[in-house]
Amino acid sequence: MNEIDPARRFSPEAVRKFDGPTDGDASGGMNDVARQVATQYRRDTMSPIMVSGVLRMVEFGLLLVSGLCVYFYYVGFFNYLAWQYPVTIAAASFLAVVLLDVTDCYQVVSLMRPIANFGRILLAWAGAFALMALTAFAMKMSEDYSRLLFGTWFVVGFVLLFGLRLVMSRLIRRWARDGRMERRAVIVGGGKAAEILIRSVEKQPYNDIRICGIFDDRGDKRSPPIVAGYPKLGTISELIEFARIARIDMLIVSLPLTAEARVLQLLKKLWVLPVDIRLSAHSNALQFRPRAYSFIGSVPMLDIFDKPINDWDSVAKRAFDIIFSLIGIIVFSPVMLATAIAIKLDSKGPVLFKQKRHGFNNEIIEVYKFRSMYTDRSDPTAKQTVTKNDPRVTRVGRFIRKTSIDELPQFVNSLLGSLSLIGPRPHAIAAQSHNLLYNEVVDGYFARHKVKPGVTGWAQINGWRGEMDTNEKIRMRTEYDLYYIENWSLLFDLRILFLTPIRLLNTENAY
């Protein structure tokens, strides 16, 4: 039988082009039970990937510092420093972390059971010393090293390493018990299939999955209101609203691959959410190669969508935003000061204009701009698009809009975290095209909110900026935004950042 690549089977393009009903805005209201459950999960959790990543750095630092302390204890801090000792200690510390990683000692299951993994930890630490000794022998440097010094470090380092693991196991168990470190999942689709899935997940030892509820469009006859002890909280449309409130990590679709039409209809609604979407494969007769699956314990899942810019990528992007936002504020401070003075002299009213816009996951954020309109004619809802020679725009406003100087205060938004420096531009919550809201014009429009909006973006540097006076313009802007989300990298952000001032020279669509 020819095997099907699941990544091709349910690509974003396939979902977007599927001809079926959609409900991106989730206008229907949740019931009280669902809203109460969603409120319980408003707080962010700690990602296991982030915790294990930080532990890697802490353990490297701990081993390095302990090795240097042992070295200075034996030779004296102010005595001659033999360069090969610190270099070897650093190399052995790094190698130990790599070997611990290779032997899966940074998996959450291993971190929760340090005593059961005592042998693997000892083997990884001893392996680092063995490779270090082998390298010294091959380079004919072994006689230069003190066996007593490295023997002492081996004992001290292992005691510290294992002691830290004991502390981490207690912390992780406490975090899991308090709901601070877990993966929150919602089951999509009820009935017997969902019950089998839930029982399978719950059987997994040291499971970090917390099931928050079940959502299904089917009535109570085909999909019971309680499945394996978990309530059915509503329909798929209500799930969209639920996931806007609760900090959900994963949606698990409990439907067979043979129900392809229904699966695609569900994904068409769900892919706009910034969560991992998995298709349960525990009961599917169609089998893929093992590498096609991800696993919750031993329960196989097909990865349909991954949350974009997650874990360490989000840390790197946030650092990028802080660094370049500070640079932007410093570099453009004279321009911003001059603009503020010009606005004050030109017309009455505040210097800054605050507008409510859609942010990450459809949250409402307040975006700063230099005021470019007369105060009594301003339109905070942006229901009426600014057009060429718009009488509402002041003389200074025309210049700063044309040159995009009015957007410079958004460096502050980026620094504070409501915006990213690079991302889809935030639209006003009531922005319209021909009396239709943007999400009514573009199928899957809200998928552009799976990441933080940006001060500048891929669509803007490709000419899709300014007035959105046709449906085609908003469709094209959305397509470019989705391309950015699906292809994000720090290099991509740098490219957009450095191209922005060049592309802003084209002011044809800015007024």
Side-chain angles (χ1 to χ4, degrees):
M1 184 180 70
N2 293 329
E3 293 191 355
I4 304 170
D5 180 1
R8 290 176 57 84
R9 185 182 181 90
F10 296 117
S11 66
E13 289 77 15
V15 175
R16 287 203 293 271
K17 292 177 182 177
F18 179 75
D19 185 18
T22 182
D23 191 1
D25 60 351
S27 56
M30 288 189 296
N31 60 67
D32 292 338
V33 175
R35 190 172 298 279
Q36 184 178 0
V37 173
T39 303
Q40 292 176 0
Y41 297 113
R42 290 187 75 98
R43 189 175 65 175
D44 278 323
T45 60
M46 293 185 291
S47 163
I49 294 175
M50 296 291 287
V51 171
S52 63
V54 171
L55 183 61
R56 286 173 174 88
M57 292 186 286
V58 171
E59 287 189 339
F60 170 75
L62 189 66
L63 294 174
L64 176 62
V65 171
S66 65
L68 292 176
C69 287
V70 170
Y71 171 71
F72 288 127
Y73 174 80
Y74 276 101
V75 304
F77 191 82
F78 297 103
N79 290 343
Y80 171 71
L81 182 67
W83 64 268
Q84 68 266 29
Y85 274 94
V87 171
T88 302
I89 289 169
S93 301
F94 178 76
L95 187 58
V97 171
V98 171
L99 291 175
L100 286 167
D101 194 15
V102 169
T103 54
D104 292 331
C105 288
Y106 288 108
Q107 298 295 322
V108 172
V109 173
S110 298
L111 294 176
M112 295 176 73
R113 305 171 64 204
I115 295 176
N117 289 276
F118 180 92
R120 279 197 292 174
I121 299 169
L122 181 60
L123 183 64
W125 183 227
F129 271 74
L131 288 172
M132 180 179 64
L134 185 63
T135 303
F137 176 78
M139 297 178 66
K140 298 181 179 180
M141 297 173 58
S142 55
E143 66 276 5
D144 296 334
Y145 291 99
S146 167
R147 291 171 177 79
L148 178 61
L149 188 154
F150 281 102
T152 304
W153 183 39
F154 180 85
V155 174
V156 171
F158 183 75
V159 169
L160 291 172
L161 196 63
F162 191 72
L164 177 62
R165 292 288 173 127
L166 290 174
V167 173
M168 282 302 301
S169 70
R170 294 180 65 86
L171 285 175
I172 290 173
R173 290 173 187 273
R174 182 188 301 171
W175 293 336
R177 192 168 55 247
D178 296 342
R180 296 173 60 190
M181 182 177 165
E182 61 188 5
R183 286 185 294 168
R184 295 170 181 165
V186 166
I187 307 297
V188 180
K192 191 65 178 177
E195 182 179 357
I196 295 172
L197 170 63
I198 292 170
R199 300 294 187 202
S200 300
V201 170
E202 289 183 335
K203 285 180 183 176
Q204 304 308 307
Y206 302 99
N207 182 18
D208 66 336
I209 296 291
R210 181 185 292 266
I211 297 172
C212 302
I214 299 168
F215 287 83
D216 196 349
D217 281 335
R218 295 174 297 177
D220 289 349
K221 287 186 178 180
R222 297 182 61 195
S223 177
I226 302 292
V227 178
Y230 293 92
K232 186 173 72 174
L233 298 177
T235 64
I236 305 304
S237 296
E238 291 167 342
L239 168 57
I240 305 293
E241 186 178 351
F242 180 89
R244 301 293 189 201
I245 299 173
R247 299 297 186 182
I248 299 299
D249 301 298
M250 184 186 305
L251 303 181
I252 304 177
V253 180
S254 177
L255 293 174
L257 283 172
T258 51
E260 183 170 332
R262 187 165 174 231
V263 170
L264 282 171
Q265 284 183 340
L266 290 176
L267 295 179
K268 187 178 177 65
K269 296 180 180 181
L270 299 175
W271 75 286
V272 301
L273 294 172
V275 297
D276 295 333
I277 299 181
R278 303 288 181 256
L279 180 61
S280 171
H282 71 288
S283 60
N284 282 312
L286 182 61
Q287 296 294 316
F288 299 114
R289 292 190 181 96
R291 66 186 181 192
Y293 298 107
S294 61
F295 291 87
I296 298 175
S298 60
V299 180
M301 302 281 171
L302 285 172
D303 296 353
I304 307 302
F305 293 113
D306 289 324
K307 181 179 179 179
I309 316 181
N310 200 18
D311 295 322
W312 287 106
D313 285 342
S314 65
V315 174
K317 188 165 176 63
R318 183 66 186 130
F320 179 97
D321 290 341
I322 292 172
I323 292 169
F324 284 99
S325 295
L326 284 171
I327 292 172
I329 290 170
I330 293 169
V331 170
F332 291 105
S333 56
V335 177
M336 289 193 280
L337 179 60
T339 303
I341 295 171
I343 291 171
K344 269 298 183 185
L345 294 175
D346 183 51
S347 60
K348 293 181 180 180
V351 169
L352 292 178
F353 175 71
K354 299 177 184 178
Q355 188 176 60
K356 294 188 183 300
R357 300 190 179 189
H358 278 128
F360 171 71
N361 200 20
N362 268 30
E363 293 175 351
I364 305 301
I365 60 173
E366 203 168 54
V367 173
Y368 304 134
K369 296 180 68 173
F370 281 124
R371 181 175 59 83
S372 59
M373 293 184 179
Y374 293 104
T375 304
D376 57 348
R377 302 184 197 177
S378 64
D379 180 16
T381 64
K383 194 171 183 178
Q384 182 181 348
T385 306
V386 177
T387 58
K388 194 172 184 178
N389 299 320
D390 196 313
R392 297 175 299 165
V393 179
T394 65
R395 289 174 301 173
V396 171
R398 286 194 178 88
F399 176 75
I400 64 176
R401 292 179 73 91
K402 198 81 170 174
T403 56
S404 294
I405 291 174
D406 64 324
E407 310 281 0
L408 290 180
Q410 288 168 30
F411 279 121
V412 177
N413 282 113
S414 178
L415 184 64
L416 296 177
S418 57
L419 291 183
S420 183
L421 204 56
I422 313 295
R425 287 289 296 146
H427 293 155
I429 55 178
Q432 295 185 354
S433 174
H434 299 295
N435 295 320
L436 291 174
L437 295 172
Y438 286 167
N439 64 286
E440 296 173 323
V441 174
V442 182
D443 188 21
Y445 168 81
F446 283 122
R448 65 194 300 277
H449 299 156
K450 292 203 287 186
V451 300
K452 281 185 185 180
V455 178
T456 183
W458 182 237
Q460 281 60 45
I461 68 168
N462 281 281
W464 302 105
R465 60 188 286 252
E467 183 184 6
M468 294 287 104
D469 55 348
T470 66
N471 292 349
E472 180 63 18
K473 286 184 178 180
I474 187 59
R475 287 194 187 99
M476 289 305 298
R477 179 182 282 190
T478 303
E479 282 298 317
Y480 274 87
D481 290 338
L482 296 181
Y483 177 87
Y484 167 80
I485 292 171
E486 291 163 11
N487 295 275
W488 175 86
S489 70
L490 278 181
L491 287 177
F492 197 7
D493 273 1
L494 279 170
R495 178 185 174 190
I496 294 170
L497 183 64
F498 289 119
L499 282 176
T500 294
I502 299 172
R503 300 296 171 84
L504 287 180
L505 295 175
N506 178 11
T507 60
E508 180 181 354
N509 296 324
Y511 36 82

